[in-house]
Amino acid sequence: MPAVHTLLLEEALQDSPQTRSLLSVFEEDAGTLTDYTNQLLQSMQRVYGAQSEMGLATEQLSRQLLEYEKQNFALGKGDEEVINTLQKFAETVGELNTLHSELATQMADRMIFPMIQFREKDLTEISTLREIFGIASDEHEAAMVKYSRLPKKKENEKVKAELVGEVAYSRRKQHQASMQYYCALNALQYRKRVAMLEPMLGYTQDTTHGCGPTINFYKKGIDLVSKKMDSFLGSVSSMTQNIQAQLDSEAEAMRMTQRELLSMEDTVYMPDRDPAPVNRTLIQKAGYLNIRNKTGLVTTAWDRLYFFTQGGNLMCQPRGAVAGGMVLDLDNSSVMAVECEDRRYCFQITSPNGKTSMILQAESKREYEEWICTLNNISRQIYLTDNPEAVAIRLNQTAIQAVTPITSFEKRGEGSPNPDRLENKEYMHKTSSAAEPEDLIVPGTPIQFDIMLPASEFQDQNRAGGRRTNPFGETDDDCSPESDDSLLQQVFAVRFLGSMAVRSGQSQEVIYEAMRQVLAARAIHNIFRTTESHLMVTSSCLRLIDPQTQVTRIGFQLQEVTQFVAHQENGRLMGFVVEGRDWSKEGEEGEPSFSAFVFESNTEGEKICYTISLGKDIMEAKKDPEALVQLLKNMPLTNEGKFLLLDSETGSTANGGAPDEESEA
């Protein structure tokens, strides 16, 4: 049996174009296998359909033969012999129908089902893992782009640490997804062989070794062929068993390799965290670099490509390309570190005649120094000597000098002030008091556009008496209808627009910024659909209710609502901030966390804010009986003893069917 090609799990982390190119071959093979499997399954289903139709036809024929006796023929006297003969035929055809039905059942179980299972399980798994791998790769690329844009002049250690963590997380995620994808593709090379042989083995066995009377269909030559067929089927069975044993062994080996690779330390996934020392004696190097390309007279763009050295040439291979192409002849070229466009770890390669130059950026300091040293070693044609490593060691001091960045500004004397730095300090001092969007909401914070879950799910939970935990971490135990205060119960028709995590809950500016980002994100992503709900405000909590089922979607304690405000220009927009606890941080009570929720109402948002403010007043007044009495005196009440507010826009309260409260302009 020919050898089976495999993808090496050890190359999943580097994700080189060579590995991607080999991966595309496996993906093309999987696509071809999918198309062929669908065609083969159609042919098998056609055979099964014909066999099933044969069983139905023989059953109908048997019934029709028995119906002859029941016919009232005018000239049918004396046909008892024909009737008896047809009954015997009907009995024979009935037995034949039983054989056909059993044969069709065996074909469905042993030929059709294994092929459908292979298509729905193995091929669908490959397709799903491919999508997951693509998403993980895109997330890693996006994280690397943000990390590569870290400024040097205004380096923020907190932002840098966050980006480093984001890159490490996305790189680990891509590594895990790629290894799972590689394992599935490797296993497919074995499974496809079994999948092709097993259904036909079942079909052949069912046809030639069916229950007793089936042999009558193939009586001629069955004695002559049976021994050869038994031997053939035995060899096919042994072949499938051997392939399955190889698959089990290969799967165990891949699991062990995957476990070893995933047990590595987190520094493997973090850029600029490589503990290994810099090797300045290399004469070959490969890896991803950012290259600067001019897009206009003064504008530039950076592209992340895979570079490698081959002899005395610098090669470049885009992701997905079959082979790389030469970028520059490195012989006698100059390589030095430069400061470029507020980016770190940049170096420049210049041809001997000075007409061709390019600026590249490495992802870490170690990669940055090794690339410069390696390219300098190659430019001096060390690779052509008898002992290139020894020569490279002698030139080590020159390589150390090459990694010292050369600034594009004029040299200043020691102790001379840097006017740019002074101006930056003055500007930062002037603007430190103004709140920037980054101070209110972390850049790149995800936005959730829908918190509505299917009503049937909540109904099932309510029937079962189980507790529901909403996706924001709050519980609605204290916001049940039974615990609502009877003094205040106002309902508003609202549409949820979005929610996101914010840094503070004590400023109205954070709500305005959340509104701006939510509306901008909806416009960018073409999200226009909203679901109408009922927002019930009581003196203890806020509840969002499904108008159809009257099921509470989400609830918040009123004391957790730290800020609420309506939009200054668009009065129908309102939002509030809820304080929660982040239990992932250290501490017994958890770190405080804040989330902003943005709604659009059918009326003025100020009415909702006024009602929330009144609920907070009632909640505070409950602590002091005299204050509560004074509040009841100052505010008019309805006949039911509730505070007199504006009419509910929904036409009914959250309890369903209760009449609207009286209104007062």
Side-chain angles (χ1 to χ4, degrees):
M1 182 175 296
V4 177
H5 299 284
T6 58
L7 287 165
L8 298 179
L9 301 182
E10 295 81 358
E11 297 178 1
L13 178 58
Q14 187 180 14
D15 195 25
S16 64
Q18 291 85 351
T19 304
R20 287 279 183 146
S21 179
L22 181 60
L23 177 62
S24 64
V25 177
F26 277 75
E27 290 176 342
E28 180 182 359
D29 185 80
T32 304
L33 178 62
T34 301
D35 296 337
Y36 176 78
T37 300
N38 292 331
Q39 297 174 5
L40 181 62
L41 181 59
Q42 290 179 0
S43 300
M44 291 180 176
Q45 289 175 337
R46 184 176 180 182
V47 174
Y48 168 70
Q51 183 62 42
S52 300
E53 181 62 26
M54 188 66 181
L56 295 175
T58 52
E59 181 182 3
Q60 183 179 3
L61 176 59
S62 177
R63 288 200 305 266
Q64 200 63 35
L65 292 174
L66 294 175
E67 288 292 325
Y68 184 85
E69 182 183 8
K70 301 178 182 179
Q71 303 303 315
N72 188 17
F73 293 107
L75 302 176
K77 304 299 182 182
D79 284 344
E80 287 76 14
E81 186 176 359
V82 175
I83 293 174
N84 294 333
T85 304
L86 290 179
Q87 287 178 349
K88 292 182 180 179
F89 274 123
E91 182 180 357
T92 303
V93 173
E95 295 176 355
L96 187 61
N97 168 59
T98 302
L99 297 178
H100 279 299
S101 300
E102 292 178 356
L103 185 57
T105 302
Q106 293 175 359
M107 290 173 61
D109 294 339
R110 305 188 63 179
M111 182 177 71
I112 302 298
F113 178 72
M115 185 57 63
I116 293 178
Q117 189 179 32
F118 170 72
R119 184 185 68 175
E120 300 299 329
K121 180 181 178 182
D122 298 303
L123 297 181
T124 302
E125 180 186 12
I126 293 295
S127 177
T128 303
L129 291 176
R130 181 178 183 180
E131 294 178 2
I132 296 175
F133 174 69
I135 294 173
S137 298
D138 293 341
E139 291 178 354
H140 177 247
E141 287 297 319
M144 283 306 306
V145 169
K146 290 194 292 185
Y147 171 80
S148 300
R149 292 175 179 171
L150 276 175
K152 181 179 180 181
K153 294 181 180 179
K154 300 179 182 179
E155 186 169 354
N156 189 327
E157 292 298 328
K158 183 178 180 181
V159 174
K160 180 181 177 181
E162 291 177 353
L163 292 180
V164 166
E166 184 178 352
V167 171
Y169 173 78
S170 61
R171 187 168 290 177
R172 174 186 287 274
K173 184 177 179 181
Q174 181 190 14
H175 190 202
Q176 294 175 345
S178 60
M179 284 198 296
Q180 291 179 356
Y181 189 29
Y182 289 3
C183 291
L185 288 174
N186 291 339
L188 186 63
Q189 299 303 309
Y190 294 94
R191 290 195 177 101
K192 72 177 181 180
R193 298 185 177 187
V194 177
M196 296 301 107
L197 297 177
E198 189 177 16
M200 295 311 301
L201 180 63
Y203 170 75
T204 308
Q205 283 181 332
D206 292 343
T207 303
T208 57
H209 295 283
C211 299
T214 309
I215 293 180
N216 294 330
F217 295 123
Y218 309 96
K219 188 173 182 178
K220 289 185 178 181
I222 193 65
D223 295 334
L224 181 63
V225 179
S226 61
K227 293 183 180 180
K228 294 182 179 180
M229 188 61 66
D230 290 340
S231 176
F232 171 75
L233 295 178
S235 63
V236 174
S237 299
S238 300
M239 183 185 302
T240 56
Q241 293 175 2
N242 292 336
I243 295 175
Q244 187 65 38
Q246 293 180 19
L247 171 59
D248 296 339
S249 176
E250 184 68 19
E252 182 62 24
M254 289 189 294
R255 280 193 295 269
M256 293 295 297
T257 304
Q258 185 177 7
R259 192 178 300 113
E260 293 176 1
L261 294 176
L262 289 177
S263 64
M264 296 184 297
E265 302 205 3
D266 292 339
T267 54
V268 177
Y269 302 93
M270 297 181 180
D272 208 12
R273 288 292 190 277
D274 196 340
V278 178
N279 189 352
R280 307 182 189 278
T281 62
L282 297 175
I283 56 174
Q284 286 184 342
K285 185 69 176 172
Y288 281 98
L289 296 172
N290 291 331
I291 182 172
R292 187 181 72 168
N293 297 318
K294 289 187 177 181
T295 58
L297 295 177
V298 294
T299 59
T300 59
W302 293 82
D303 296 325
R304 189 167 182 259
L305 302 174
Y306 188 84
F307 289 84
F308 62 97
T309 60
Q310 191 174 74
N313 300 322
L314 179 64
M315 312 292 288
C316 175
Q317 184 174 357
R319 178 174 292 181
V322 178
M326 190 181 79
V327 178
L328 189 66
D329 186 358
L330 297 175
D331 289 343
N332 300 319
S333 62
S334 63
V335 185
M336 62 185 67
V338 294
E339 290 183 350
C340 181
E341 295 181 359
D342 224 16
R343 288 203 174 203
R344 306 176 305 158
Y345 308 140
C346 294
F347 58 95
Q348 178 174 303
I349 309 174
T350 307
S351 61
N353 56 14
K355 295 182 179 180
T356 304
S357 66
M358 64 178 62
I359 295 179
L360 303 171
Q361 180 193 18
E363 76 174 35
S364 65
K365 185 176 181 181
R366 176 175 174 272
E367 287 290 312
Y368 156 82
E369 294 187 10
E370 282 192 356
W371 269 106
I372 293 177
C373 297
T374 303
L375 297 178
N376 271 316
N377 293 338
I378 296 175
S379 68
R380 292 169 174 77
Q381 300 182 357
I382 296 177
Y383 62 95
L384 298 178
T385 60
D386 295 333
N387 192 355
E389 288 78 13
V391 178
I393 293 175
R394 290 198 300 269
L395 296 175
N396 185 26
Q397 185 61 35
T398 305
I400 294 176
Q401 297 174 358
V403 299
T404 303
I406 297 178
T407 180
S408 59
F409 301 101
E410 295 181 357
K411 295 183 179 179
R412 301 183 178 90
E414 295 183 1
S416 61
N418 187 337
D420 295 337
R421 185 172 298 176
L422 291 177
E423 292 177 2
N424 290 337
K425 288 184 178 179
E426 294 177 0
Y427 175 78
M428 291 175 63
H429 178 71
K430 292 178 181 179
T431 59
S432 60
S433 60
E436 298 293 335
E438 292 80 2
D439 299 331
L440 302 174
I441 300 175
V442 178
T445 299
I447 300 175
Q448 186 160 346
F449 296 108
D450 193 0
I451 60 175
M452 306 306 171
L453 299 179
S456 60
E457 176 183 341
F458 287 90
Q459 290 173 348
D460 294 339
Q461 292 175 351
N462 291 339
R463 295 192 196 102
R467 296 179 60 186
R468 174 178 65 87
T469 301
N470 62 53
F472 300 93
E474 300 88 5
T475 60
D476 56 355
D477 294 343
D478 298 332
C479 290
S480 61
E482 293 78 2
S483 64
D484 286 338
D485 198 301
S486 60
L487 295 177
L488 177 64
Q489 192 177 84
Q490 188 73 8
V491 179
F492 300 92
V494 296
R495 286 172 292 279
F496 176 73
L497 299 182
S499 63
M500 60 193 307
V502 296
R503 286 183 169 178
S504 173
Q506 306 302 327
S507 171
Q508 294 182 351
E509 297 296 330
V510 73
I511 302 179
Y512 295 142
E513 179 62 21
M515 290 178 179
R516 186 190 66 80
Q517 292 196 21
V518 167
L519 294 178
R522 279 183 167 269
I524 292 173
H525 299 290
N526 295 325
I527 302 175
F528 303 108
R529 184 181 64 85
T530 58
T531 303
E532 183 166 322
S533 302
H534 292 172
L535 179 64
M536 173 177 284
V537 183
T538 71
S539 59
S540 60
C541 67
L542 303 180
R543 290 196 289 129
L544 204 62
I545 302 172
D546 185 345
Q548 302 296 328
T549 62
Q550 298 301 315
V551 175
T552 299
R553 297 304 190 192
I554 188 172
F556 304 103
Q557 290 297 310
L558 204 57
Q559 61 187 6
E560 297 175 353
V561 179
T562 61
Q563 196 62 247
F564 50 91
V565 70
H567 197 274
Q568 296 170 325
E569 299 178 359
N570 186 354
R572 298 176 63 184
L573 292 179
M574 67 82 56
F576 55 81
V577 178
V578 178
E579 180 180 358
R581 292 289 173 179
D582 187 359
W583 300 103
S584 62
K585 303 294 182 62
E586 296 181 358
E588 295 182 358
E589 297 183 357
E591 293 292 332
S593 62
F594 301 94
S595 300
F597 295 81
V598 181
F599 294 88
E600 180 185 23
S601 64
N602 290 346
T603 181
E604 296 180 3
E606 289 290 347
K607 296 181 181 179
I608 302 179
C609 295
Y610 169 74
T611 308
I612 296 176
S613 177
L614 178 59
K616 282 184 168 289
D617 292 341
I618 298 174
M619 181 177 63
E620 292 297 327
K622 286 180 180 179
K623 301 177 182 178
D624 185 0
E626 296 181 358
L628 181 59
V629 172
Q630 187 64 30
L631 182 63
L632 292 174
K633 291 181 179 180
N634 295 334
M635 289 293 297
L637 303 177
T638 65
N639 296 330
E640 299 176 356
K642 298 182 179 180
F643 282 92
L644 184 63
L645 300 173
L646 297 176
D647 282 343
S648 300
E649 311 137 19
T650 60
S652 63
T653 64
N655 295 329
D660 292 342
E661 300 174 4
E662 299 179 11
S663 63
E664 181 179 86

